[in-house]
Amino acid sequence: MAQLIQPVPKKMTGPVTKRPVVFSILVLFSSVYFSVLAILFLAAVLYSGSITSVLEKYAPEEEYSKNWIRAIFAGGFFLHTLGLTGSIFLWKLRKKGYYLLVTACFMITLFQLFRPDISVTSTFIYILLIFLFGAFFKRFQ
């Protein structure tokens, strides 16, 4: 009746990399930033007809057509959703997330640089996100 008690063998896992606190705060900021802007661009895509009518009323140069405004809002929604996806992958410390986020930030920055009516601070935020996440690039898997 004497049973031998055997210890349970431990599973051998890979090295656990800890996420720095500054990186966690940065990922949370970018996740909230990209998700709020993606929601706003989605709402703008859905209500682009009323936005176009207001633009036609107050900016009669007819510079913007309904399809052009819808394309800008749809592109903004797509790129901010891509940035949000990159933030989710960055939370898991994946390099794919950095590449997705950099692609989205670069495309948004490129668009904003050629638009004279866009403020410099919003462009600066996207460039800053690229460099701040790049500082943690060695920690990604």
Side-chain angles (χ1 to χ4, degrees), residues 72-95:
I72 288 174
F73 290 149
F77 171 71
F78 172 73
L79 290 173
H80 285 90
T81 305
L82 189 68
L84 178 62
T85 306
S87 295
I88 292 169
F89 280 123
L90 281 173
W91 183 258
K92 298 176 184 179
L93 296 174
R94 303 281 185 234
K95 282 187 181 180

PDB file of all heavy atoms in Angstrom, residues 72-95:
ATOM      1  N   ILE A  72     -11.076  59.102 -49.066  1.00  0.00           N
ATOM      2  CA  ILE A  72     -10.156  59.564 -48.015  1.00  0.00           C
ATOM      3  C   ILE A  72     -10.539  58.953 -46.671  1.00  0.00           C
ATOM      4  O   ILE A  72      -9.680  58.462 -45.927  1.00  0.00           O
ATOM      5  CB  ILE A  72     -10.156  61.107 -47.942  1.00  0.00           C
ATOM      6  CG1 ILE A  72      -9.443  61.684 -49.156  1.00  0.00           C
ATOM      7  CG2 ILE A  72      -9.471  61.587 -46.668  1.00  0.00           C
ATOM      8  CD1 ILE A  72      -9.516  63.187 -49.240  1.00  0.00           C
ATOM      9  N   PHE A  73     -11.825  58.973 -46.345  1.00  0.00           N
ATOM     10  CA  PHE A  73     -12.274  58.406 -45.076  1.00  0.00           C
ATOM     11  C   PHE A  73     -12.087  56.892 -45.023  1.00  0.00           C
ATOM     12  O   PHE A  73     -11.711  56.345 -43.985  1.00  0.00           O
ATOM     13  CB  PHE A  73     -13.730  58.773 -44.808  1.00  0.00           C
ATOM     14  CG  PHE A  73     -13.941  60.226 -44.489  1.00  0.00           C
ATOM     15  CD1 PHE A  73     -15.115  60.849 -44.843  1.00  0.00           C
ATOM     16  CD2 PHE A  73     -12.976  60.961 -43.847  1.00  0.00           C
ATOM     17  CE1 PHE A  73     -15.322  62.179 -44.548  1.00  0.00           C
ATOM     18  CE2 PHE A  73     -13.169  62.294 -43.549  1.00  0.00           C
ATOM     19  CZ  PHE A  73     -14.346  62.910 -43.903  1.00  0.00           C
ATOM     20  N   ALA A  74     -12.332  56.208 -46.128  1.00  0.00           N
ATOM     21  CA  ALA A  74     -12.142  54.755 -46.160  1.00  0.00           C
ATOM     22  C   ALA A  74     -10.662  54.403 -46.025  1.00  0.00           C
ATOM     23  O   ALA A  74     -10.303  53.451 -45.322  1.00  0.00           O
ATOM     24  CB  ALA A  74     -12.710  54.173 -47.448  1.00  0.00           C
ATOM     25  N   GLY A  75      -9.802  55.178 -46.684  1.00  0.00           N
ATOM     26  CA  GLY A  75      -8.360  54.953 -46.532  1.00  0.00           C
ATOM     27  C   GLY A  75      -7.897  55.221 -45.118  1.00  0.00           C
ATOM     28  O   GLY A  75      -7.066  54.474 -44.572  1.00  0.00           O
ATOM     29  N   GLY A  76      -8.419  56.275 -44.505  1.00  0.00           N
ATOM     30  CA  GLY A  76      -8.073  56.559 -43.113  1.00  0.00           C
ATOM     31  C   GLY A  76      -8.537  55.458 -42.182  1.00  0.00           C
ATOM     32  O   GLY A  76      -7.823  55.064 -41.264  1.00  0.00           O
ATOM     33  N   PHE A  77      -9.741  54.937 -42.427  1.00  0.00           N
ATOM     34  CA  PHE A  77     -10.237  53.825 -41.611  1.00  0.00           C
ATOM     35  C   PHE A  77      -9.357  52.589 -41.776  1.00  0.00           C
ATOM     36  O   PHE A  77      -8.984  51.943 -40.791  1.00  0.00           O
ATOM     37  CB  PHE A  77     -11.687  53.496 -41.984  1.00  0.00           C
ATOM     38  CG  PHE A  77     -12.198  52.243 -41.342  1.00  0.00           C
ATOM     39  CD1 PHE A  77     -12.457  52.192 -39.996  1.00  0.00           C
ATOM     40  CD2 PHE A  77     -12.411  51.104 -42.112  1.00  0.00           C
ATOM     41  CE1 PHE A  77     -12.914  51.034 -39.397  1.00  0.00           C
ATOM     42  CE2 PHE A  77     -12.872  49.937 -41.533  1.00  0.00           C
ATOM     43  CZ  PHE A  77     -13.129  49.902 -40.174  1.00  0.00           C
ATOM     44  N   PHE A  78      -9.010  52.262 -43.016  1.00  0.00           N
ATOM     45  CA  PHE A  78      -8.179  51.085 -43.271  1.00  0.00           C
ATOM     46  C   PHE A  78      -6.807  51.221 -42.617  1.00  0.00           C
ATOM     47  O   PHE A  78      -6.325  50.294 -41.957  1.00  0.00           O
ATOM     48  CB  PHE A  78      -8.031  50.863 -44.783  1.00  0.00           C
ATOM     49  CG  PHE A  78      -7.036  49.796 -45.125  1.00  0.00           C
ATOM     50  CD1 PHE A  78      -7.335  48.460 -44.914  1.00  0.00           C
ATOM     51  CD2 PHE A  78      -5.797  50.128 -45.639  1.00  0.00           C
ATOM     52  CE1 PHE A  78      -6.410  47.469 -45.220  1.00  0.00           C
ATOM     53  CE2 PHE A  78      -4.868  49.151 -45.940  1.00  0.00           C
ATOM     54  CZ  PHE A  78      -5.178  47.810 -45.734  1.00  0.00           C
ATOM     55  N   LEU A  79      -6.163  52.381 -42.771  1.00  0.00           N
ATOM     56  CA  LEU A  79      -4.820  52.548 -42.224  1.00  0.00           C
ATOM     57  C   LEU A  79      -4.817  52.587 -40.698  1.00  0.00           C
ATOM     58  O   LEU A  79      -3.903  52.052 -40.063  1.00  0.00           O
ATOM     59  CB  LEU A  79      -4.180  53.811 -42.796  1.00  0.00           C
ATOM     60  CG  LEU A  79      -3.814  53.725 -44.277  1.00  0.00           C
ATOM     61  CD1 LEU A  79      -3.349  55.076 -44.791  1.00  0.00           C
ATOM     62  CD2 LEU A  79      -2.746  52.669 -44.503  1.00  0.00           C
ATOM     63  N   HIS A  80      -5.831  53.183 -40.093  1.00  0.00           N
ATOM     64  CA  HIS A  80      -5.875  53.194 -38.638  1.00  0.00           C
ATOM     65  C   HIS A  80      -6.241  51.819 -38.069  1.00  0.00           C
ATOM     66  O   HIS A  80      -5.781  51.457 -36.993  1.00  0.00           O
ATOM     67  CB  HIS A  80      -6.833  54.278 -38.146  1.00  0.00           C
ATOM     68  CG  HIS A  80      -6.250  55.648 -38.279  1.00  0.00           C
ATOM     69  ND1 HIS A  80      -6.416  56.406 -39.410  1.00  0.00           N
ATOM     70  CD2 HIS A  80      -5.466  56.378 -37.446  1.00  0.00           C
ATOM     71  CE1 HIS A  80      -5.784  57.545 -39.258  1.00  0.00           C
ATOM     72  NE2 HIS A  80      -5.191  57.552 -38.080  1.00  0.00           N
ATOM     73  N   THR A  81      -7.033  51.063 -38.801  1.00  0.00           N
ATOM     74  CA  THR A  81      -7.294  49.689 -38.386  1.00  0.00           C
ATOM     75  C   THR A  81      -6.026  48.842 -38.515  1.00  0.00           C
ATOM     76  O   THR A  81      -5.755  47.989 -37.663  1.00  0.00           O
ATOM     77  CB  THR A  81      -8.428  49.081 -39.229  1.00  0.00           C
ATOM     78  OG1 THR A  81      -9.572  49.924 -39.140  1.00  0.00           O
ATOM     79  CG2 THR A  81      -8.792  47.698 -38.753  1.00  0.00           C
ATOM     80  N   LEU A  82      -5.247  49.096 -39.544  1.00  0.00           N
ATOM     81  CA  LEU A  82      -3.960  48.412 -39.703  1.00  0.00           C
ATOM     82  C   LEU A  82      -3.014  48.771 -38.549  1.00  0.00           C
ATOM     83  O   LEU A  82      -2.323  47.901 -38.014  1.00  0.00           O
ATOM     84  CB  LEU A  82      -3.339  48.787 -41.047  1.00  0.00           C
ATOM     85  CG  LEU A  82      -2.110  48.020 -41.494  1.00  0.00           C
ATOM     86  CD1 LEU A  82      -2.473  46.575 -41.796  1.00  0.00           C
ATOM     87  CD2 LEU A  82      -1.519  48.682 -42.727  1.00  0.00           C
ATOM     88  N   GLY A  83      -2.999  50.038 -38.158  1.00  0.00           N
ATOM     89  CA  GLY A  83      -2.190  50.456 -37.017  1.00  0.00           C
ATOM     90  C   GLY A  83      -2.660  49.821 -35.719  1.00  0.00           C
ATOM     91  O   GLY A  83      -1.851  49.443 -34.864  1.00  0.00           O
ATOM     92  N   LEU A  84      -3.981  49.681 -35.540  1.00  0.00           N
ATOM     93  CA  LEU A  84      -4.512  49.017 -34.354  1.00  0.00           C
ATOM     94  C   LEU A  84      -4.124  47.542 -34.336  1.00  0.00           C
ATOM     95  O   LEU A  84      -3.748  47.007 -33.294  1.00  0.00           O
ATOM     96  CB  LEU A  84      -6.033  49.161 -34.313  1.00  0.00           C
ATOM     97  CG  LEU A  84      -6.750  48.471 -33.163  1.00  0.00           C
ATOM     98  CD1 LEU A  84      -6.303  49.049 -31.828  1.00  0.00           C
ATOM     99  CD2 LEU A  84      -8.250  48.592 -33.334  1.00  0.00           C
ATOM    100  N   THR A  85      -4.173  46.907 -35.485  1.00  0.00           N
ATOM    101  CA  THR A  85      -3.744  45.507 -35.577  1.00  0.00           C
ATOM    102  C   THR A  85      -2.258  45.379 -35.231  1.00  0.00           C
ATOM    103  O   THR A  85      -1.854  44.451 -34.523  1.00  0.00           O
ATOM    104  CB  THR A  85      -4.006  44.964 -36.995  1.00  0.00           C
ATOM    105  OG1 THR A  85      -5.368  45.175 -37.324  1.00  0.00           O
ATOM    106  CG2 THR A  85      -3.669  43.495 -37.096  1.00  0.00           C
ATOM    107  N   GLY A  86      -1.460  46.313 -35.721  1.00  0.00           N
ATOM    108  CA  GLY A  86      -0.041  46.314 -35.365  1.00  0.00           C
ATOM    109  C   GLY A  86       0.176  46.496 -33.877  1.00  0.00           C
ATOM    110  O   GLY A  86       1.055  45.865 -33.282  1.00  0.00           O
ATOM    111  N   SER A  87      -0.635  47.334 -33.236  1.00  0.00           N
ATOM    112  CA  SER A  87      -0.519  47.536 -31.787  1.00  0.00           C
ATOM    113  C   SER A  87      -0.860  46.260 -31.021  1.00  0.00           C
ATOM    114  O   SER A  87      -0.224  45.953 -30.009  1.00  0.00           O
ATOM    115  CB  SER A  87      -1.445  48.661 -31.330  1.00  0.00           C
ATOM    116  OG  SER A  87      -1.069  49.875 -31.867  1.00  0.00           O
ATOM    117  N   ILE A  88      -1.851  45.532 -31.510  1.00  0.00           N
ATOM    118  CA  ILE A  88      -2.212  44.271 -30.852  1.00  0.00           C
ATOM    119  C   ILE A  88      -1.076  43.265 -30.966  1.00  0.00           C
ATOM    120  O   ILE A  88      -0.731  42.573 -30.003  1.00  0.00           O
ATOM    121  CB  ILE A  88      -3.527  43.723 -31.445  1.00  0.00           C
ATOM    122  CG1 ILE A  88      -4.687  44.644 -31.060  1.00  0.00           C
ATOM    123  CG2 ILE A  88      -3.797  42.299 -30.975  1.00  0.00           C
ATOM    124  CD1 ILE A  88      -5.971  44.360 -31.786  1.00  0.00           C
ATOM    125  N   PHE A  89      -0.451  43.180 -32.141  1.00  0.00           N
ATOM    126  CA  PHE A  89       0.685  42.279 -32.299  1.00  0.00           C
ATOM    127  C   PHE A  89       1.880  42.749 -31.478  1.00  0.00           C
ATOM    128  O   PHE A  89       2.656  41.929 -30.983  1.00  0.00           O
ATOM    129  CB  PHE A  89       1.087  42.152 -33.766  1.00  0.00           C
ATOM    130  CG  PHE A  89       0.230  41.206 -34.548  1.00  0.00           C
ATOM    131  CD1 PHE A  89      -0.439  41.630 -35.684  1.00  0.00           C
ATOM    132  CD2 PHE A  89       0.085  39.892 -34.159  1.00  0.00           C
ATOM    133  CE1 PHE A  89      -1.227  40.771 -36.414  1.00  0.00           C
ATOM    134  CE2 PHE A  89      -0.699  39.014 -34.877  1.00  0.00           C
ATOM    135  CZ  PHE A  89      -1.370  39.452 -36.012  1.00  0.00           C
ATOM    136  N   LEU A  90       2.050  44.060 -31.346  1.00  0.00           N
ATOM    137  CA  LEU A  90       3.146  44.571 -30.525  1.00  0.00           C
ATOM    138  C   LEU A  90       2.937  44.232 -29.056  1.00  0.00           C
ATOM    139  O   LEU A  90       3.904  44.048 -28.319  1.00  0.00           O
ATOM    140  CB  LEU A  90       3.292  46.082 -30.700  1.00  0.00           C
ATOM    141  CG  LEU A  90       4.005  46.517 -31.963  1.00  0.00           C
ATOM    142  CD1 LEU A  90       3.930  48.027 -32.116  1.00  0.00           C
ATOM    143  CD2 LEU A  90       5.445  46.068 -31.944  1.00  0.00           C
ATOM    144  N   TRP A  91       1.706  44.173 -28.616  1.00  0.00           N
ATOM    145  CA  TRP A  91       1.429  43.782 -27.241  1.00  0.00           C
ATOM    146  C   TRP A  91       1.934  42.361 -26.987  1.00  0.00           C
ATOM    147  O   TRP A  91       2.379  42.036 -25.888  1.00  0.00           O
ATOM    148  CB  TRP A  91      -0.066  43.875 -26.956  1.00  0.00           C
ATOM    149  CG  TRP A  91      -0.411  43.559 -25.542  1.00  0.00           C
ATOM    150  CD1 TRP A  91      -0.926  42.392 -25.072  1.00  0.00           C
ATOM    151  CD2 TRP A  91      -0.267  44.420 -24.410  1.00  0.00           C
ATOM    152  NE1 TRP A  91      -1.102  42.476 -23.718  1.00  0.00           N
ATOM    153  CE2 TRP A  91      -0.706  43.711 -23.287  1.00  0.00           C
ATOM    154  CE3 TRP A  91       0.201  45.723 -24.251  1.00  0.00           C
ATOM    155  CZ2 TRP A  91      -0.695  44.264 -22.015  1.00  0.00           C
ATOM    156  CZ3 TRP A  91       0.211  46.268 -22.985  1.00  0.00           C
ATOM    157  CH2 TRP A  91      -0.238  45.542 -21.883  1.00  0.00           C
ATOM    158  N   LYS A  92       1.882  41.538 -28.033  1.00  0.00           N
ATOM    159  CA  LYS A  92       2.382  40.171 -27.937  1.00  0.00           C
ATOM    160  C   LYS A  92       3.866  40.074 -28.299  1.00  0.00           C
ATOM    161  O   LYS A  92       4.397  38.983 -28.422  1.00  0.00           O
ATOM    162  CB  LYS A  92       1.568  39.264 -28.856  1.00  0.00           C
ATOM    163  CG  LYS A  92       0.110  39.188 -28.487  1.00  0.00           C
ATOM    164  CD  LYS A  92      -0.660  38.365 -29.489  1.00  0.00           C
ATOM    165  CE  LYS A  92      -2.133  38.382 -29.163  1.00  0.00           C
ATOM    166  NZ  LYS A  92      -2.919  37.610 -30.131  1.00  0.00           N
ATOM    167  N   LEU A  93       4.513  41.231 -28.479  1.00  0.00           N
ATOM    168  CA  LEU A  93       5.944  41.337 -28.808  1.00  0.00           C
ATOM    169  C   LEU A  93       6.295  40.636 -30.118  1.00  0.00           C
ATOM    170  O   LEU A  93       7.299  39.937 -30.228  1.00  0.00           O
ATOM    171  CB  LEU A  93       6.818  40.800 -27.666  1.00  0.00           C
ATOM    172  CG  LEU A  93       6.744  41.563 -26.357  1.00  0.00           C
ATOM    173  CD1 LEU A  93       7.539  40.844 -25.279  1.00  0.00           C
ATOM    174  CD2 LEU A  93       7.255  42.976 -26.536  1.00  0.00           C
ATOM    175  N   ARG A  94       5.494  40.834 -31.129  1.00  0.00           N
ATOM    176  CA  ARG A  94       5.742  40.254 -32.453  1.00  0.00           C
ATOM    177  C   ARG A  94       6.297  41.321 -33.398  1.00  0.00           C
ATOM    178  O   ARG A  94       5.813  42.452 -33.428  1.00  0.00           O
ATOM    179  CB  ARG A  94       4.455  39.698 -33.046  1.00  0.00           C
ATOM    180  CG  ARG A  94       3.777  38.669 -32.194  1.00  0.00           C
ATOM    181  CD  ARG A  94       4.463  37.336 -32.341  1.00  0.00           C
ATOM    182  NE  ARG A  94       3.737  36.334 -31.600  1.00  0.00           N
ATOM    183  CZ  ARG A  94       4.303  35.555 -30.693  1.00  0.00           C
ATOM    184  NH1 ARG A  94       5.574  35.667 -30.419  1.00  0.00           N
ATOM    185  NH2 ARG A  94       3.587  34.660 -30.068  1.00  0.00           N
ATOM    186  N   LYS A  95       7.289  40.944 -34.188  1.00  0.00           N
ATOM    187  CA  LYS A  95       7.875  41.883 -35.160  1.00  0.00           C
ATOM    188  C   LYS A  95       6.873  42.262 -36.243  1.00  0.00           C
ATOM    189  O   LYS A  95       6.927  43.353 -36.792  1.00  0.00           O
ATOM    190  CB  LYS A  95       9.115  41.269 -35.811  1.00  0.00           C
ATOM    191  CG  LYS A  95      10.332  41.324 -34.941  1.00  0.00           C
ATOM    192  CD  LYS A  95      11.562  40.863 -35.685  1.00  0.00           C
ATOM    193  CE  LYS A  95      12.749  40.911 -34.760  1.00  0.00           C
ATOM    194  NZ  LYS A  95      13.972  40.491 -35.415  1.00  0.00           N
TER     195      LYS A  95
END
